[in-house]
Amino acid sequence: MSSTPQSPSAGRPLSPGAIALMLMLCLSWGFNQIAVKLVLPDVPPMLQALSRSAGALPVLLIIGWFRGVKFFDRDGTLWAGVSAGIIFGIEFVLIYQGLLLTSASRAVVFLYTAPFFVALGSYVFLGERLRAAQWAGLGLSFAGVALAIGVPQANVDAKVLLGDMLIVGGGALWAATTLIVKATPLIRAPAEKGLGYQVALSIPIFILAAWFGDEKLTHMPSALSLSLLAYQAFWVVGLTFLLWFALVKAYSASKLSAFTFITPLFGVVASYFIMHDTLTLAFGAAALLVIAGLYLVNRPESARAEVAPDPNV
């Protein structure tokens, strides 16, 4: 069997600009977790997800219009876009439903198994070959996330385990959308169109999920909740997800995905300032683990390794 052709971006190192963007994205996503929690008393989870997608879609259309994106041209992306959109919607349904069954700390740890699914999928489908040091780096980063959030309690029941599995499923679907972008004609589509598929198709999925869950607004959301909903819709989904989509098209999926380990660390810091949680020495150790893991994942190969002949040729 012939080997899978390597993705053009598989070996491309992250530029300083890409690293800065990823740090900004992770900071935004870390605070987004706090925003969702603050809005929950006013707006149920599926209605939050619905308002987020419904608010982000016009943002994508406006940005795409200014950039001359032809959303409805036939470019061979339809079925890949539909697949990514359906997976995107189901991903957030699983995550929100899992959060109802398991603790937030367990959920964050299990959600960030996504980079492992990306790394495995990149190896199988995209031809990205991760070195042993890169696999070790992913392991170190994940260990850092687990330490920062807190070691999950061992005494769990079947209900909590079901929630854990739903969160893992959400992480796997998150990885799947990343891999679909890399392995299909979506890689050549404008970022606005690729993300537009996901946001637009998630809307009916969230409507159905909210209907089946009998979710309703029982009172007018507060000004804070409305502002945080706007933050989620316009900034997080409308802009940061767009930037993420563009980065996925240009750089190694597994290396980018490794950076998402920083997101829950930023979430812990946001919790300290907003929710008045206590930071411990464990957080410092966790940050060092994450930084060490990211270094191993993104460390370029030595010049000798780059020019060494392939023994399989």
Side-chain angles (χ1 to χ4, degrees):
M1 183 179 294
S2 61
S3 60
T4 304
Q6 186 162 345
S7 169
S9 61
R12 183 180 180 184
L14 299 184
S15 68
I19 292 174
L21 273 178
M22 280 304 304
L23 290 173
M24 183 271 290
L25 297 184
C26 292
L27 177 61
S28 299
W29 296 339
F31 177 74
N32 184 62
Q33 298 173 4
I34 306 300
V36 172
K37 291 182 180 180
L38 291 174
V39 177
L40 276 176
D42 286 338
V43 184
M46 288 296 98
L47 290 181
Q48 270 200 64
L50 173 60
S51 64
R52 188 174 69 170
S53 288
L57 186 58
V59 175
L60 296 175
L61 293 175
I62 291 171
I63 294 175
W65 180 74
F66 274 110
R67 295 187 64 242
V69 174
K70 298 178 180 178
F71 286 96
F72 301 103
D73 274 10
R74 295 184 176 181
D75 55 4
T77 63
L78 178 61
W79 291 113
V82 169
S83 299
I86 293 173
I87 291 172
F88 179 85
I90 297 174
E91 167 197 335
F92 282 98
V93 171
L94 292 180
I95 291 171
Y96 279 120
Q97 294 303 316
L99 282 168
L100 295 176
L101 301 174
T102 190
S103 67
S105 60
R106 294 177 69 89
V108 173
V109 171
F110 287 117
L111 178 60
Y112 282 85
T113 57
F116 291 94
F117 291 114
V118 171
L120 181 61
S122 296
Y123 176 83
V124 174
F125 300 111
L126 305 183
E128 295 189 15
R129 297 297 184 258
L130 297 183
R131 304 184 303 276
Q134 291 176 301
W135 284 106
L138 285 170
L140 281 176
S141 294
F142 185 77
V145 169
L147 181 59
I149 301 301
V151 179
Q153 297 180 1
N155 52 339
V156 297
D157 55 19
K159 180 180 177 182
V160 174
L161 289 176
L162 175 59
D164 293 342
M165 292 302 100
L166 290 174
I167 298 295
V168 171
L173 293 183
W174 178 11
T177 58
T178 301
L179 294 171
I180 287 175
V181 171
K182 300 289 288 186
T184 69
L186 283 173
I187 192 70
R188 298 187 298 271
E192 295 88 348
K193 184 170 185 177
L195 182 58
Y197 277 119
Q198 299 178 45
V199 172
L201 290 171
S202 69
I203 291 175
I205 293 175
F206 295 147
I207 291 175
L208 287 174
W211 181 71
F212 277 113
D214 196 27
E215 292 188 358
K216 299 176 182 177
L217 288 178
T218 59
H219 57 276
M220 180 66 183
S222 67
L224 175 62
S225 292
L226 291 175
S227 63
L228 291 175
L229 283 173
Y231 167 80
Q232 294 180 55
F234 303 140
W235 174 252
V236 175
V237 180
L239 293 175
T240 67
F241 280 15
L242 186 61
L243 290 171
W244 165 256
F245 194 98
L247 287 170
V248 166
K249 285 159 54 70
Y251 293 95
S252 162
S254 55
K255 291 181 180 180
L256 283 173
S257 190
F259 260 90
T260 60
F261 279 114
I262 300 177
T263 300
L265 298 181
F266 282 141
V268 172
V269 174
S271 297
Y272 172 76
F273 289 106
I274 298 172
M275 314 294 274
H276 305 293
D277 292 346
T278 302
L279 292 182
T280 64
L281 291 177
F283 179 81
L288 291 176
L289 284 174
V290 172
I291 293 171
L294 291 175
Y295 171 76
L296 289 175
V297 170
N298 290 284
R299 184 180 63 181
E301 295 183 71
S302 64
R304 179 180 180 182
E306 291 176 352
V307 300
D310 185 351
N312 295 320
V313 173

